[in-house]
Amino acid sequence: MTLFEAGAESSPPDPRPAAVPAGVPGLQGSRTDLRSGVLLAVVLGLAGLVTGGLWVWLAPRADFRVTDTQGSVEVVGGGLVSPELFMSDDGVYVLLLAGLGLVAGLAAWALRSRRGVVTLAATAVGMLLASLVTWQLGALLGRGPSQEQLSTPGTQVTTALDLGALAALAVGPFVAVFVYLVATVLTSRDDLGRAGTTVGPHQELSAP
């Protein structure tokens, strides 16, 4: 038996414990997540431009014709305007933002290497921005008639588009956060399955 073989047989096992994730679960790599979180919030905010345009397009509105210089109007085609018309504006808004929140929550969770508290917070902030952008853009594009239009007989005007219940602003963020948290609960791993943080007896962490 050679000296090299004897040394190999007598080598003790590696006493070092297996690598384990450091820090608080969900906060690993928070510094590196910050940039992607800001980008995510900006993208979601810009998505509000799309939902704002859809709100103007899908929300039902009524057309009136001005009958005198005092601003009296009549419904184009006759009949009466249902009070539910104005409530449906809020309903369409809620459905649009809930749908965007669902997509946002799933998309944020799909960012496997950035899963954690920072991404969750960015998703909530981004959806709040999207809700505000949708509201303001819809109110701008769907604004009501001017005083000049209301004082010109024969002018056809359309009801304004606006959000009656400001609590609807919370729908988008709530849905997005709820979807993300459900996905988190269904994940049994402490590291949330982040790419590059899985560890074992012969693996080392690649994310701080």
Side-chain angles (χ1 to χ4, degrees), residues 74-138:
E74 63 180 7
V75 179
V76 174
L80 299 174
V81 177
S82 171
E84 297 179 357
L85 174 70
F86 303 99
M87 297 177 59
S88 61
D89 291 347
D90 288 9
V92 173
Y93 176 92
V94 167
L95 290 177
L96 288 173
L97 269 298
L100 180 59
L102 175 62
V103 173
L106 293 175
W109 183 253
L111 299 174
R112 185 181 180 88
S113 62
R114 293 292 178 261
R115 290 176 182 173
V117 175
V118 174
T119 298
L120 177 61
T123 303
V125 171
M127 280 306 305
L128 180 58
L129 290 175
S131 300
L132 292 172
V133 170
T134 300
W135 173 33
Q136 293 303 309
L137 181 62

Side-chain angles (χ1 to χ4, degrees), residues 1-69:
M1 179 181 296
T2 65
L3 181 62
F4 175 78
E5 291 175 343
E9 290 180 357
S10 61
S11 297
D14 189 352
R16 294 178 299 177
V20 295
V24 180
L27 288 178
Q28 299 171 13
S30 296
R31 293 181 180 179
T32 57
D33 291 348
L34 185 59
R35 179 178 298 179
S36 64
V38 171
L39 179 60
L40 176 62
V42 171
V43 170
L44 290 177
L46 293 177
L49 297 174
V50 178
T51 50
L54 289 174
W55 189 33
V56 175
W57 181 39
L58 297 175
R61 301 164 71 188
D63 295 324
F64 295 88
R65 182 177 293 104
V66 179
T67 58
D68 57 40
T69 58

Side-chain angles (χ1 to χ4, degrees), residues 166-181:
L166 295 182
L169 294 171
V171 172
F174 173 80
V175 172
V177 170
F178 179 77
V179 170
Y180 197 94
L181 291 179

